[in-house]
Amino acid sequence: MRTLQIDVVALPLARPFAISRGTRTAVTVIRVTLEQNGFIGQGECTPTARYGETPESVQAMLEAVRADVEAGLSHDDLQQRLPAGAARNVLDCALWRLDAARTHQTLWQKSRFSQPPSVVTAETLSLDTQENMALAAAEAVSRGAILLKIKLDRDAVLEKVAAIRAAAPRATLIIDANEAWSGLDLESLLVALKAYSIAMVEQPLPAGQDHDLQRFKHPIPVCADESCHTRADIAELRDRYEMVNIKLDKCGGLTEALAMMEAARAQNMRVMVGCMLGSSLAMEAALPVAVNAEFIDLDGPIWLAADSSPFLSYSQGRIWL
């Protein structure tokens, strides 16, 4: 017999985190603990308002399937019982870890991927003034950051990028617009950004309103984030995007994330693995997908005032495993 424990945990941030949709000083996560015959599996998810989720709504979804989970709900059955999103993610990851524990395996062994010594992860530059973003970039590279992800809205885009590039001349730079570039001349903007050796631009237009990306050849690869949730989305996005961002909280867990990786490959699309704000417990679950991605953005824990077990090690622009 299994038992299911659900905990709602508030995690203060070490500093404000700002994107085009607003600023946060804390994040609320849901943690699940499954226990079965002395073996334990845990998961963590971050309910996201952009997708109509709250901690209360996710908790209610988990309570609705409690009886089935405690009766032995399988991975496959879970995919049918809950829709893609945070609630399914937290249960799926807990089931992966429980199954690994019961078979005396690590998550790496269970997923059948080799564990590397480390992976490069992006360090995010929160949306701020041009001067503060340049200072943040300089500080990040002084600590060894290799890949910087720049959060931007529609204001002073080129000025901010120029200042950041001057502060971090050797870093790889990627941009996340979080759907904020409606009404801008995208073709001209991407051409101008190419001069700063930008490696990728993420979700410049709102999901469902991104057809303008079809009309011109992109001088910089464009990545779908809010437009891409599950494998079912991928084939229809290939005429607008070169890359998809796989996030466990969007797609509903490691099971779907691995399927998305294969679906993207089948469409000759490149892959990024991202995250919501959260602890190492959430980031570790995404690593079997991340090792197969071109860009990894799993820096959630470095924004927290205090991390949680399994305490991944972040230094020199890498997650050390």
Side-chain angles (χ1 to χ4, degrees), residues 1-5 32-43 68-75 78 89-108 110 254 281 284-285:
M1 183 70 178
R2 272 192 209 141
T3 60
L4 167 63
Q5 178 180 322
V32 155
T33 302
L34 299 176
E35 190 277 331
Q36 185 172 348
N37 299 324
F39 296 103
I40 295 206
Q42 292 184 303
D68 290 339
V69 171
E70 294 189 333
L73 186 74
S74 69
H75 279 288
L78 174 63
N89 174 37
V90 72
L91 276 178
D92 188 66
C93 292
L95 283 169
W96 270 88
R97 289 188 173 106
L98 178 62
D99 289 347
R102 292 174 62 206
T103 54
H104 305 285
Q105 293 178 295
T106 66
L107 191 60
W108 289 101
K110 191 70 180 174
L254 181 55
L281 180 61
E284 186 200 44

Side-chain angles (χ1 to χ4, degrees), residues 57-265:
S57 71
V58 170
Q59 196 172 12
M61 293 177 74
L62 295 173
E63 290 291 357
V65 296
R66 176 186 287 275
D68 290 339
V69 171
E70 294 189 333
L73 186 74
S74 69
H75 279 288
D76 290 340
D77 290 338
L78 174 63
Q79 309 310 305
Q80 308 306 317
R81 290 286 283 113
L82 288 178
R88 193 174 78 189
N89 174 37
V90 72
L91 276 178
D92 188 66
C93 292
L95 283 169
W96 270 88
R97 289 188 173 106
L98 178 62
D99 289 347
R102 292 174 62 206
T103 54
H104 305 285
Q105 293 178 295
T106 66
L107 191 60
W108 289 101
Q109 291 168 327
K110 191 70 180 174
S111 64
R112 299 181 181 177
F113 289 108
S114 298
Q115 178 178 341
S118 67
V119 295
V120 173
T121 184
E123 182 164 338
T124 301
L125 302 181
S126 176
L127 180 64
D128 206 330
T129 64
Q130 175 180 326
E131 294 75 16
N132 285 345
M133 293 185 79
L135 287 171
E139 181 183 351
V141 295
S142 74
R143 297 193 306 270
I146 300 167
L147 172 63
L148 298 179
K149 179 174 176 176
I150 307 168
K151 290 287 189 179
L152 293 173
D153 54 15
R154 56 188 294 117
D155 296 328
V157 171
L158 293 177
E159 292 83 354
K160 288 178 179 179
V161 169
I164 290 165
R165 173 52 79 198
R170 288 179 293 278
T172 299
L173 301 182
I174 58 179
I175 289 172
D176 188 0
N178 285 114
E179 307 178 282
W181 288 0
S182 292
L184 299 182
D185 182 348
L186 280 184
E187 185 172 9
S188 296
L189 182 55
L190 292 179
V191 168
L193 288 170
K194 187 175 175 63
Y196 297 101
S197 299
I198 301 301
M200 180 269 285
V201 171
E202 189 178 346
Q203 198 69 42
L205 299 175
Q209 302 174 38
D210 51 9
H211 296 288
D212 191 48
L213 292 169
Q214 295 173 306
R215 70 175 175 81
F216 64 95
K217 185 175 181 180
H218 306 158
I220 298 170
V222 181
C223 179
D225 182 5
E226 287 86 350
S227 289
C228 186
H229 288 245
T230 69
R231 74 188 101 168
D233 300 322
I234 291 175
E236 294 183 359
L237 295 174
R238 62 181 178 176
D239 62 349
R240 281 163 277 171
Y241 297 95
E242 289 75 38
M243 182 176 290
V244 295
N245 187 349
I246 299 174
K247 292 179 180 175
L248 270 60
D249 272 322
K250 281 192 307 178
C251 74
L254 181 55
T255 301
E256 178 63 20
L258 292 170
M260 287 184 73
M261 179 74 69
E262 294 304 317
R265 286 174 174 168

